[in-house]
Amino acid sequence: MTEAEQRELKTRLDRARIAHGRPLTNSEINHVKKTYIDQLIAERELAAKKARQVKKQKTAKQDTSATYSWSANNHSRGKR
């Protein structure tokens, strides 16, 4: 986790403690941590999916004006 994410987790724990009006139990702390980490993982997966889509779009562009080139698809020295 980055430093900013760790600070956000501590903020969420503090908010939960204030909302309950008492110190949190281990179970409550773990529940808050688990939900935050699950949310982070979902966000990262979404960002990675977008990045893969953008990369795929950039690499999949074909030149429609070009014609088929036999020399580009055949070995220059012939089959071995």
Side-chain angles (χ1 to χ4, degrees), residues 40-72:
L40 282 177
I41 290 172
E43 288 175 2
R44 287 180 181 171
E45 286 176 355
L46 191 66
K49 185 177 180 181
K50 272 189 173 180
R52 284 192 301 269
Q53 287 176 346
V54 168
K55 184 178 176 183
K56 187 176 180 181
Q57 288 175 353
K58 286 183 179 179
T59 59
K61 290 183 182 175
Q62 295 179 351
D63 187 13
T64 56
S65 64
T67 59
Y68 188 77
S69 173
W70 285 102
S71 60

